[in-house]
Amino acid sequence: MIDRTGYEPLTGRVQTDRTIVRDGRVRRFAYGLRLYTPVELRDELLRAGFARVELLGDEGGPLTLDSRRLLAVAQA
C-alpha cells in the first residue's frame, strides 16, 4: 500500500491518493478527510445544541500540542 498525502490549509482537508498492490492487481483510489481544530469542534457541538463542551487531552488531562487524542465531553 502506498499513500501520497497532502494537506490543503484553506479547506482544512487532508487529501490522500492510495495505491494498493495485492496478488498482482493494482487498485487506486482517492479520499479526503476534514480535520477540525479544537475550537471548530467545540463551536459545532455548541451549535448542535449542547450547553457545555469541555475539550480534554490524553487520559482526560489538559489538551496540549503533544496530546495524541482530543476528547470532547458535551452536555445537554
Side-chain angles (χ1 to χ4, degrees):
M1 181 171 67
I2 300 169
D3 283 348
R4 294 190 181 192
T5 303
Y7 178 67
E8 299 172 6
L10 294 179
T11 62
R13 295 187 68 81
V14 173
Q15 189 64 36
T16 301
D17 295 316
R18 177 168 283 176
T19 302
I20 298 175
V21 180
R22 181 178 290 158
D23 298 327
R25 291 182 28 203
V26 177
R27 295 185 321 180
R28 292 182 175 90
F29 57 96
Y31 64 93
L33 178 67
R34 172 69 164 92
L35 300 177
Y36 290 91
T37 67
V39 171
E40 289 173 320
L41 179 61
R42 182 202 63 209
D43 291 349
E44 288 296 322
L45 288 166
L46 292 171
R47 263 194 291 281
F50 289 97
R52 183 171 173 259
V53 177
E54 186 177 7
L55 301 178
L56 306 167
D58 301 320
E59 306 295 326
L63 180 63
T64 68
L65 287 175
D66 295 324
S67 297
R68 294 183 54 180
R69 295 174 192 240
L70 181 151
L71 305 171
V73 179
Q75 297 175 348

